[in-house]
Amino acid sequence: MPESRTYGRRRALPARKAEQEGFDAGRSDGTVTRREAITGRVVKTGSGAAQGAGWDDVDKVASAAGGGDLYLKVTENRMVIKILADGPFDVFASHWIDEIEEGSKSVRCWGTPDCPLCAIGDKAKRFSACFDVVSLEDPEFPVLKVWDVGIKIARQLKEIAADAKRGPLNRPDLYFTIRKEQKKKAVEYTLERVKERDLEEEYGVAPLDDEALKQFLAECHNYGDRVKEPLDEEGMEEIVQLLMDDA
Ligand SMILES: [Zn+2]
């Protein structure tokens, strides 16, 4: 059962159509053909780019735009990011369906009492809060990504957002670092605030200039946009059937 995936401003697409367009948006030839595919775009910063020196950029932009690489991939290496809004644009829970053999096992909960999977007693255990962020993993090539955070990091961010002294999350002089660590039983994430003035010295990262920041802000999601469309009734019914057959 493939999941439906859309990115951007599109809403209320039937799941099957959304799925098709999700594939289009993630085309691996690097062409960006749809509004949704703009996440992952690269804005070149710095004035040092000589004319004709664009071939490195071709590969970098292609790898950022293609391959469905829309989500921020947090690694063991501490990565600098800039959060672009003071809150998540999409928050949802997902059911984890091990019985799904093809495609993602994670199925967005409808979030309403009539969710067919909740109705048969399956609990939506995975929490997601999605933020637009600029990844400065490669400081020369900042990239717009969707950062899908779990409940622990979401709570830390909420605390900072609500704190007049430390927030808001999108304060102009505020950046964050994030990294993950594989502990015995689970993956643990470490989030830290970084002031713009310390970026260069502590991380060798130049802050985003106003122009780059403006371009990224123009490409952000709106509050209420869905990073992943829920399955329609028919799609849910198939999964319910799958679970029933298996039981
Ligand atoms: Zn549900």
Side-chain angles (χ1 to χ4, degrees):
M1 182 82 241
E3 64 173 321
S4 68
R5 289 191 307 172
T6 48
Y7 303 92
R9 298 172 203 290
R10 203 177 299 266
R11 271 170 228 158
L13 273 177
R16 269 156 219 292
K17 185 148 176 277
E19 173 192 309
Q20 191 51 48
E21 304 206 351
F23 280 122
D24 288 345
R27 285 163 55 160
S28 56
D29 61 5
T31 49
V32 178
T33 53
R34 290 170 192 280
R35 173 63 186 80
E36 294 92 312
I38 288 175
T39 307
R41 114 184 216 151
V42 175
V43 172
K44 183 83 175 76
T45 57
S47 50
Q51 252 191 341
W55 290 114
D56 281 352
D57 300 11
V58 169
D59 290 338
K60 296 210 178 189
V61 174
S63 76
D69 200 10
L70 301 169
Y71 289 97
L72 184 76
K73 282 194 186 64
V74 177
T75 67
E76 275 87 8
N77 298 321
R78 195 179 274 111
M79 180 193 302
V80 175
I81 58 172
K82 174 113 188 92
I83 302 178
L84 294 175
D86 193 32
F89 64 87
D90 191 16
V91 180
F92 58 95
S94 301
H95 295 270
W96 185 262
I97 310 294
D98 243 344
E99 286 80 354
I100 296 177
E101 281 172 0
E102 263 177 63
S104 166
K105 294 175 191 286
S106 146
V107 178
R108 183 176 179 129
C109 179
W110 283 5
T112 52
D114 61 344
C115 170
L117 289 169
C118 289
I120 60 165
D122 191 82
K123 288 216 166 63
K125 288 182 191 135
R126 185 171 186 272
F127 171 95
S128 292
C130 294
F131 295 79
D132 286 309
V133 300
V134 176
S135 163
L136 291 153
E137 186 178 21
D138 180 346
E140 293 247 324
F141 291 89
V143 193
L144 185 60
K145 296 277 185 182
V146 170
W147 186 28
D148 178 342
V149 312
I151 189 69
K152 275 192 192 164
I153 293 291
R155 287 204 172 113
Q156 287 180 42
L157 289 169
K158 189 180 171 196
E159 222 174 89
I160 296 168
D163 182 339
K165 287 202 174 105
R166 291 187 299 156
L169 300 176
N170 56 350
R171 214 171 78 180
D173 66 342
L174 189 56
Y175 289 72
F176 290 86
T177 64
I178 180 77
R179 74 189 165 97
K180 72 171 183 184
E181 237 180 309
Q182 184 66 52
K183 292 283 170 82
K184 270 179 205 146
K185 282 188 178 162
V187 177
E188 235 170 68
Y189 293 93
T190 309
L191 174 80
E192 281 172 274
R193 288 168 77 251
V194 192
K195 288 267 182 67
E196 185 177 83
R197 59 165 194 252
D198 298 325
L199 269 184
E200 286 272 17
E201 195 187 317
E202 290 179 13
Y203 300 100
V205 170
L208 291 170
D209 62 39
D210 290 348
E211 191 48 41
L213 190 59
K214 223 169 77 186
Q215 286 188 50
F216 284 125
L217 284 168
E219 303 298 349
C220 277
H221 290 89
N222 291 319
Y223 177 71
D225 282 347
R226 283 164 165 174
V227 78
K228 178 166 138 185
E229 290 291 335
L231 294 175
D232 59 10
E233 247 166 85
E234 197 191 331
M236 281 296 210
E237 190 48 45
E238 279 182 41
I239 294 175
V240 168
Q241 217 49 55
L242 190 67
L243 290 173
M244 294 300 189
D245 290 350
D246 218 59

